[in-house]
Amino acid sequence: MYKSEELLKKVNEALDGLAYNRKPSSLYDPIQYVLSLGGKRVRPVLMLLAYNLYKEDPERIMTQAVGLETYHNFTLLHDDLMDNADMRRGHETVHKKWNPNQAILSGDTMLLQAFQRMGQCEADKLQQVIGLFTETTLEIDEGQQLDVEFETRNDVTEDEYIEMIRLKTSVLLACALKIGAILGGASEADQENLYRFGEQIGLAFQLQDDLLDVYGNPKVFGKNIGGDITSNKKTYMLINAVNRANEAQRKELTGWIQATDFDRNEKVKAVTRLYDEIGIRQLCEQKIESCYALAHEYMDKVSVAEDRKTELKAYAAAMMHRQN
């Protein structure tokens, strides 16, 4: 059994060792740049950990793991373009370093590379793997579209938000685990339970991100807190604050939401105080724990020896208790 740190090292080595020998190099330079910026590599590590529940040679599916990470970084590249973001992981985004057209074209190439790498699996597993990967990519686009639409809506419900983050974030973690299980020869029941495990871990992961954006330590979080507050992003926290506020709190909160001219620090401080008064931090923490507990119910059903589950459980726990 491999430790997650060992698998992370192998993933980074595989990414660093990718060949970029196709032409024109101007198409592939941004791809190499994006994949060199680092990151937690959560999705390929999850895939390899799931595979390692059943097989001892996770290096065998490294091409598929790299394909998944290629796809994830493609989504980030396009997200940055849609958001007109200047920086990613402390470096210029592709559309800033090059231009928007280059970001679109190189991003499209990354998507094709992801499918190409994912398809280099055993023939008897190809249809199931590509079917799941295709469905996942469609769901992620659906989640992204919902996220965009939520920006102009003031009636987003908690259930709608949970479904949006399930599609936008959770299904790729679930896909990583299930593909690892498929390639490892797991039973259909184990494949499904690992998928559901990943789905709930993904929900908790995104909710944790929402929480850290308000209550995280900026030095550890890696960016200024309060970005979701200043942009009025429809998060689990804002939706529940609006719904649970008393009349006076709702009036103040609505005032900040509607304000077009405001001091950033003042708004973050005021909305955070309202969250504290309404009990939003505790509510979000309870939801995270609920998702995490449900994830473990699915993990308990996975029919491998408990000692083989130790590393995957520990990795999920570290995801839940992260500070960045």
Side-chain angles (χ1 to χ4, degrees):
M1 299 295 293
Y2 283 85
K3 297 289 186 182
S4 60
E5 295 85 355
E6 295 174 303
L7 295 174
L8 173 61
K9 184 171 183 276
K10 290 179 180 295
V11 169
N12 281 324
E13 288 172 350
L15 288 166
D16 290 342
L18 289 174
Y20 294 91
N21 48 20
R22 294 180 67 99
K23 301 296 180 183
S25 59
S26 55
L27 177 66
Y28 294 95
D29 286 347
I31 298 173
Q32 186 172 15
Y33 171 76
V34 167
L35 291 174
S36 73
L37 296 182
K40 300 180 181 72
R41 314 300 193 196
V42 169
R43 293 144 193 88
V45 170
L46 283 174
M47 182 189 287
L48 296 169
L49 285 169
Y51 178 90
N52 201 199
L53 291 173
Y54 305 94
K55 298 285 181 65
E56 306 295 342
D57 56 347
E59 299 96 333
R60 186 174 182 180
I61 67 160
M62 189 58 72
T63 298
Q64 289 72 46
V66 167
L68 196 68
E69 184 66 8
T70 303
Y71 170 74
H72 173 59
N73 280 270
F74 148 75
T75 67
L76 299 181
L77 189 157
H78 274 198
D79 280 354
D80 289 339
L81 180 60
M82 291 174 67
D83 296 340
N84 196 29
D86 293 339
M87 304 293 287
R88 166 72 65 178
R89 295 169 181 152
H91 294 79
E92 278 188 299
T93 50
V94 168
H95 67 277
K96 290 294 182 182
K97 187 174 177 64
W98 282 271
N99 57 69
N101 288 343
Q102 190 64 62
I104 293 170
L105 195 55
S106 294
D108 289 349
T109 303
M110 288 181 79
L111 176 61
L112 294 169
Q113 287 180 323
F115 273 90
Q116 183 183 54
R117 289 164 182 157
M118 194 63 71
Q120 293 176 37
C121 62
E122 297 172 9
D124 62 331
K125 297 180 174 67
L126 178 61
Q127 184 174 356
Q128 188 179 4
V129 167
I130 292 297
L132 173 59
F133 188 48
T134 302
E135 177 65 19
T136 301
T137 60
L138 287 171
E139 288 180 324
I140 290 168
D141 282 348
E142 291 162 0
Q144 179 67 27
Q145 182 63 37
L146 288 174
D147 195 21
V148 170
E149 292 177 4
F150 287 178
E151 292 177 7
T152 56
R153 283 181 52 193
N154 294 317
D155 60 347
V156 180
T157 67
E158 178 184 325
D159 286 346
E160 285 180 311
Y161 178 72
I162 293 296
E163 175 62 5
M164 183 274 287
I165 63 172
R166 185 189 74 82
L167 292 168
K168 189 176 176 181
T169 301
S170 295
V171 295
L172 192 56
L173 301 185
C175 172
L177 287 156
K178 187 170 181 176
I179 289 179
I182 292 168
L183 296 175
S187 67
E188 289 187 9
D190 277 8
Q191 293 172 23
E192 184 63 20
N193 282 318
L194 282 165
Y195 185 92
R196 298 303 173 193
F197 169 78
E199 201 170 42
Q200 292 301 316
I201 290 294
L203 290 176
F205 186 83
Q206 182 57 55
L207 290 167
Q208 181 82 351
D209 209 52
D210 293 353
L211 191 71
L212 288 171
D213 192 81
V214 179
Y215 293 104
N217 181 335
K219 294 179 181 178
V220 180
F221 191 41
K223 59 182 178 181
N224 290 331
I225 63 171
D228 290 346
I229 290 175
T230 55
S231 64
N232 299 325
K233 189 172 179 63
K234 309 303 190 306
T235 65
Y236 181 88
M237 303 179 78
L238 179 59
I239 291 166
N240 276 288
V242 171
N243 290 338
R244 292 168 179 265
N246 60 36
E247 186 176 348
Q249 291 166 336
R250 186 174 293 109
K251 182 178 179 180
E252 183 181 357
L253 186 57
T254 301
W256 283 112
I257 292 170
Q258 295 176 345
T260 56
D261 183 19
F262 57 85
D263 178 89
R264 184 191 191 279
N265 291 334
E266 185 182 1
K267 179 174 180 176
V268 171
K269 186 176 179 180
V271 174
T272 301
R273 173 181 50 77
L274 286 167
Y275 284 177
D276 291 341
E277 291 176 4
I278 300 166
I280 296 302
R281 179 173 189 168
Q282 293 83 354
L283 187 72
C284 191
E285 289 173 341
Q286 289 167 8
K287 185 66 175 178
I288 291 168
E289 288 301 321
S290 174
C291 292
Y292 188 49
L294 184 54
H296 275 275
E297 289 183 22
Y298 287 115
M299 177 56 72
D300 289 343
K301 296 176 183 177
V302 175
S303 59
V304 299
E306 286 302 312
D307 62 330
R308 294 193 72 85
K309 301 178 186 178
T310 301
E311 192 60 27
L312 180 50
K313 284 184 173 181
Y315 190 70
M319 289 171 62
M320 292 306 95
H321 298 101
R322 66 196 173 95
Q323 296 299 315
N324 59 31

